[in-house]
Amino acid sequence: QVQLVESGGGLVQAGGSLRLSCAASGPTFGSNAMGWFRQSPGKEREFVAAISPSGFTAVYADSSKGRFTISRDNAKKMVYLQMNSLKPGDTGDYYCAAGATIVKIRTGYLEVWGQGTLVTVSA
């Protein structure tokens, strides 16, 4: 089973950028679709983005489109979330997750979660 560790969170002002990283270990990484979710106080867990095992296909939440980019480097066993034009509403704990396919990630059928990294966007 793949193991995941997120990093890259921090405090930024609205309009700023952050790049989150998810480091994976284990032999199954290249077979996993990967995704990012976020959880903000008082809010439900929210899908952010997902990417296919090959990295050829990506999907985004409506709130993420045009601002966030998910990518992966299978040779390095890394997944990234580039976040631009950040808004206060983007604040939350961001979690990397692994699943069999993008569809399974999008619908909540997840295999592994990371520990999360906190993103705080100040107005």
Side-chain angles (χ1 to χ4, degrees):
Q1 186 76 282
V2 63
Q3 304 295 315
L4 308 173
V5 179
E6 300 96 332
S7 62
L11 174 64
V12 297
Q13 290 190 324
S17 298
L18 284 173
R19 188 170 86 154
L20 307 184
S21 298
C22 175
S25 62
T28 65
F29 177 74
S31 298
N32 290 121
M34 303 295 298
W36 289 93
F37 293 78
R38 66 188 181 193
Q39 180 76 57
S40 182
K43 301 288 186 178
E44 297 180 354
R45 186 184 67 187
E46 179 183 9
F47 169 78
V48 177
I51 190 167
S52 66
S54 66
F56 291 161
T57 304
V59 298
Y60 298 90
D62 288 342
S63 62
S64 304
K65 293 178 181 177
R67 300 190 299 125
F68 294 2
T69 302
I70 187 171
S71 61
R72 68 190 295 162
D73 185 335
N74 286 353
K76 297 180 179 179
K77 296 184 178 181
M78 297 289 293
V79 182
Y80 307 98
L81 183 68
Q82 178 66 48
M83 305 187 295
N84 299 323
S85 301
L86 284 163
K87 306 173 182 179
D90 296 320
T91 293
D93 285 306
Y94 282 70
Y95 298 89
C96 182
T101 65
I102 286 179
V103 170
K104 289 188 179 295
I105 288 178
R106 183 64 183 86
T107 57
Y109 293 92
L110 308 175
E111 301 292 336
V112 180
W113 292 86
Q115 86 288 351
T117 185
L118 178 63
V119 172
T120 303
V121 184
S122 174

